[in-house]
Amino acid sequence: MKLLQKRIGNQIKTPMVGVLICCLFLLGCNKYEDLQPKSTFETSTDSLQNFDISLKKDGSTIIRFDSIAQGGTYKISFTPFEHCSLQLIEDGKAIEIKGSAYNWENDFSKYTICKNGNCRTGAIYIKNSDYTNPIFDTIDSNGCIILPLRKFYTFFLTPTLLKNFFPNGVEGRIDTFETKNYTIKRALNNTNPSYTILEFYALPKPESQPWAWDTVSYKLSGTNGKCYSGKIEIIIGDTCKSLAKADAFTVTNGKIIVNQTELTANDFPCAQPAGLHITRSGTDENFNYGNYKVRNTEFGVLTDTLINGQQHYKYVRTKPSARKDKFVYYLKSFNPERVTKAWVYLKLN
């Protein structure tokens, strides 16, 4: 009987012990998870480390984040840089930042790391160690310093040398150059092309208008490692003759009508009479369209038309938020026959 009780006891006891062990195991697992010490990353809500990095404009650097997140699984995101590029490396545990090649000064990005439901943010500040204050205010899309617009006066059928392209104290070469209407080439210097002097030549084409203007665009490489871009406005012919000059008007309620006499009032220097002339508007160089033409400007519509026998320019703004606009007008004088052009600038109220 005792033997039977012992066996029955063992049979009953064994599964109970197993359940007890299993329960202890399960409770132990839950207890282990609850009591596992969390990293300071998960217990803190403070901002993360800020990075202050000095970077060459075309250089790169690597930042690691696994030590900041204190290991484990985490997610990281960034706000975009303005000048630099960013690439995740090492399975997302680090990033490589590359600087742009042009002359930017500073850049900035916020980074956010999320781990076990806790998200914290830091900042990355980038300073371009190669940055130099540009000699002039603007940089073009290629990162070249834009030189001030120059004016040059010459005559038809006259070879004209253009020099002194570089800022004071800078040497280098002219890389590229082009014109709108006439021809330009490198000047010859002892039978070899000069890389710092250009020769401009205005030969009117019989089938075209006698354009008395042109624009030379150029790009320079300096021995100082910088690039420059600029333009030269070429004015052709006697400067005491009629010459279109820029005008500016304020546009109220998005509409204005301008008599051509308001445009030509400043176009006749040297106290000479205006002489026979006509005006035309344009955003291209199609001049012979008669007395009526409708054109689109950047933010409006321009109508070139006759009113009471005189040429007028009617402008209507089509984009309400626009605050400025502009259009070109041409002035053609007939003695001598010569066409010049200028911009009309509109301030939109």
Side-chain angles (χ1 to χ4, degrees):
M1 184 67 178
K2 291 182 179 180
L3 179 62
L4 179 60
Q5 289 177 345
K6 186 176 182 181
R7 287 180 179 176
I8 294 174
N10 285 343
Q11 289 175 1
I12 295 174
K13 186 178 180 180
T14 299
M16 290 182 63
V17 171
V19 170
L20 180 60
I21 293 173
C22 183
C23 289
L24 288 173
F25 178 77
L26 291 173
L27 289 172
C29 286
N30 289 334
K31 197 172 183 180
Y32 174 76
E33 286 291 334
D34 291 338
L35 297 179
Q36 182 183 17
K38 293 183 178 180
S39 66
T40 55
F41 180 95
E42 297 160 276
T43 58
S44 174
T45 58
D46 294 341
S47 298
L48 294 176
Q49 172 185 346
N50 289 341
F51 292 90
D52 291 291
I53 297 172
S54 179
L55 187 67
K56 291 182 176 293
K57 64 182 180 182
D58 54 356
S60 64
T61 189
I62 293 175
I63 300 177
R64 297 187 59 88
F65 295 98
D66 47 355
S67 61
I68 296 176
Q70 299 178 357
T73 301
Y74 59 89
K75 293 182 179 180
I76 185 168
S77 60
F78 304 85
T79 59
F81 285 107
E82 182 178 357
H83 306 292
C84 300
S85 61
L86 178 152
Q87 182 178 1
L88 287 170
I89 59 175
E90 299 181 20
D91 297 325
K93 295 180 179 180
I95 59 169
E96 182 178 19
I97 301 172
K98 292 185 178 180
S100 299
Y102 58 91
N103 193 39
W104 53 278
E105 183 176 6
N106 297 296
D107 212 344
F108 167 81
S109 173
K110 282 186 178 180
Y111 72 94
T112 300
I113 298 178
C114 294
K115 181 180 177 183
N116 290 335
N118 188 34
C119 296
R120 297 169 60 189
T121 300
I124 303 172
Y125 298 94
I126 306 290
K127 181 178 180 180
N128 181 4
S129 59
D130 289 335
Y131 173 78
T132 55
N133 288 320
I135 297 176
F136 306 103
D137 292 336
T138 30
I139 303 295
D140 67 17
S141 59
N142 296 314
C144 297
I145 298 171
I146 299 177
L147 300 173
L149 177 69
R150 297 167 57 193
K151 287 189 177 181
F152 201 92
Y153 296 87
T154 186
F155 293 89
F156 288 110
L157 307 177
T158 303
T160 302
L161 295 181
L162 304 178
K163 306 177 181 179
N164 303 320
F165 288 89
F166 287 88
N168 290 335
V170 178
E171 297 180 351
R173 59 169 288 157
I174 304 172
D175 289 333
T176 60
F177 51 88
E178 62 179 0
T179 57
K180 297 288 187 181
N181 301 324
Y182 299 111
T183 61
I184 192 167
K185 63 181 181 180
R186 294 190 189 276
L188 294 179
N189 183 10
N190 297 328
T191 72
N192 292 320
S194 169
Y195 291 103
T196 57
I197 302 175
L198 300 179
E199 182 181 282
F200 175 84
Y201 188 75
L203 174 62
K205 299 177 182 179
E207 70 276 9
S208 67
Q209 296 292 335
W211 303 119
W213 54 271
D214 205 348
T215 302
V216 178
S217 302
Y218 57 89
K219 183 178 178 182
L220 315 174
S221 291
T223 54
N224 58 2
K226 300 177 182 178
C227 66
Y228 303 86
S229 64
K231 293 182 179 181
I232 301 176
E233 181 182 335
I234 304 290
I235 300 173
I236 306 167
D238 190 342
T239 57
C240 270
K241 301 295 183 182
S242 59
L243 174 66
K245 295 182 180 179
D247 298 278
F249 297 91
T250 297
V251 179
T252 303
N253 298 325
K255 297 180 180 179
I256 191 173
I257 297 178
V258 179
N259 190 314
Q260 72 167 4
T261 58
E262 297 179 76
L263 301 181
T264 60
N266 62 342
D267 294 347
F268 307 106
C270 303
Q272 292 191 5
L276 187 61
H277 64 276
I278 61 173
T279 64
R280 294 290 185 269
S281 69
T283 52
D284 54 32
E285 295 172 10
N286 178 18
F287 186 91
N288 293 320
Y289 54 80
N291 295 320
Y292 181 82
K293 185 75 173 180
V294 178
R295 300 178 186 274
N296 291 322
T297 62
E298 186 175 3
F299 302 117
V301 175
L302 181 73
T303 303
D304 177 354
T305 187
L306 280 176
I307 300 177
N308 297 326
Q310 286 194 337
Q311 210 71 27
H312 284 71
Y313 301 93
K314 178 182 178 182
Y315 173 84
V316 177
R317 177 176 58 184
T318 56
K319 186 174 181 179
S321 61
R323 290 295 174 262
K324 61 182 179 179
D325 209 343
K326 63 181 179 179
F327 66 89
V328 164
Y329 84 96
Y330 300 103
L331 171 67
K332 182 174 183 178
S333 58
F334 291 96
N335 186 24
E337 190 174 81
R338 181 169 177 253
V339 180
T340 54
K341 79 167 186 176
W343 283 100
V344 178
Y345 297 94
L346 304 176
K347 180 182 178 182
L348 308 179
N349 286 342

